Amino acid sequence: MSQPKRIAFATCSEVPDLSDNDRLAVKELARLGIEAVPAIWSEPRDWRGFDAVILRSTWYYWLHYRRFLEWLELLEASGKPVWNPVPLLRWNTNKLYLKDLIGAGLPVVPTQWISPGDWKSVAEFSRSTAWDEVVVKPVVSGGAFSTFRLPGRGLESARAQFQEIWGFGPAMIQPFLKQILTEGEYSFLFYGGEFSHAVLKSAAPGDYRVQHIYGGTSRAVQVDRSWIQTAERIIDAVDTVPLYARVDMVRGEDGLLLMELELTEPNLFFGDQPGSAAMFAEKVLQQMTQGRFR
C-alpha cells in the first residue's frame, strides 16, 4: 500500500481550524509527508477525496446523534480507512458500552441505567441507594453535557434534570466520587495500543467538572506501572486495536475505577507531553503503510 498524502482530520463548526492540540499532530504528520486537513463532519463533502479520515474534534455530535451515525455509515461506505474504525465508534458513542466492560470483569465505576420516563426505577433507586451523592447524565453525551450532581436520596424530585437528560435518551447514574475533588481524574493516553503518557485533570475551585471549558486544568504525571497495566487491560478488552484511546480513571477504595473509555473524539493532551504528537503521527504512518499497529 502506497503512503497516503492527504488525511481528513474530522472536526466541527465550532473549531473549523482544529484545536491547539490537534494542530501539534498536524505539524508532526507533515514532517512524515502526510497532509492532515481539517474537515467539518456535518458539511456536505466527498470524503472519498481523502486517503483516510481521522476523527478528532467532532464535538457536540451527541446533539445530532442520528445524523452523526448516518455520517459514519457514509464514511464506512466510502471504503476509505477511518480511525477509529466505524464499528468501534458506534459502540463507543453510547455509554452502554460500559456494560460490556463490566461483563468482562473490568473495574468500572458502579452504574445504574434508567430508561426515559421510568420514574418508578428512579424512585426505587433513590430509596435503596447507599450513595450520598450521584452524578446523572445521558448515555450519549460528552464534555459534561447535561450532567448533574445530585443527592442520592430524593432523586425523584429532580424532575427537570431527568426530563432534560431523557430528551437525549436513557440516563445513567453513578456515585459521585469525592476523589475527583481531592485528587482529580487520571487519563491514560494510548496510540496504536501503546501507552504514551498519563495526565492528571483537576477541577476548578468550586466545581467538580475537570474539562477545560469549565476551568479545569491538566498536567502530565508519572504513574505506577500497575496503574498502566490496569488501563492496558481495558484497551485489550476492545476487539480492534484503536489508533487513539484515552482511559479516564479515578482512584477508588480498592484501586483505579474506569469512568470512561474515550475512543471517539477525545482531547489527546499532546501539549502536556513532549513527543506524544510525534508518537501519534508515527502510529498513523505505521497503520497506513503496514496496515497494523502490532
Side-chain angles (χ1 to χ4, degrees), residues 121-248:
S121 292
V122 172
E124 289 176 350
F125 169 83
S126 188
R127 286 193 299 268
S128 62
T129 186
W131 302 340
D132 293 332
E133 284 190 282
V134 298
V135 173
V136 187
K137 57 187 173 183
V139 298
V140 178
S141 66
F145 172 77
S146 286
T147 296
F148 301 97
R149 178 183 173 186
L150 299 166
R153 295 299 181 98
L155 265 185
E156 61 269 30
S157 64
R159 300 188 73 87
Q161 290 90 337
F162 273 94
Q163 293 288 16
E164 178 178 327
I165 291 169
W166 284 337
F168 298 94
M172 55 189 292
I173 306 174
Q174 295 177 320
F176 177 73
L177 302 175
K178 291 183 170 56
Q179 295 91 324
I180 289 289
L181 302 179
T182 59
E183 184 173 3
E185 176 184 307
Y186 292 90
S187 287
F188 297 78
L189 285 305
F190 291 81
Y191 311 134
E194 183 179 349
F195 175 70
S196 169
H197 62 290
V199 168
L200 178 62
K201 300 178 292 186
S202 303
D207 208 327
Y208 65 96
R209 297 166 295 188
V210 298
Q211 290 83 1
H212 287 168
I213 59 173
Y214 301 112
T217 58
S218 64
R219 60 184 176 89
V221 292
Q222 296 294 318
V223 294
D224 189 86
R225 176 60 194 167
S226 65
W227 286 19
I228 298 172
Q229 290 172 337
T230 298
E232 287 174 338
R233 287 177 55 209
I234 294 165
I235 297 295
D236 290 342
V238 178
D239 291 338
T240 304
V241 179
L243 169 63
Y244 56 87
R246 197 181 82 201
V247 184
D248 291 341

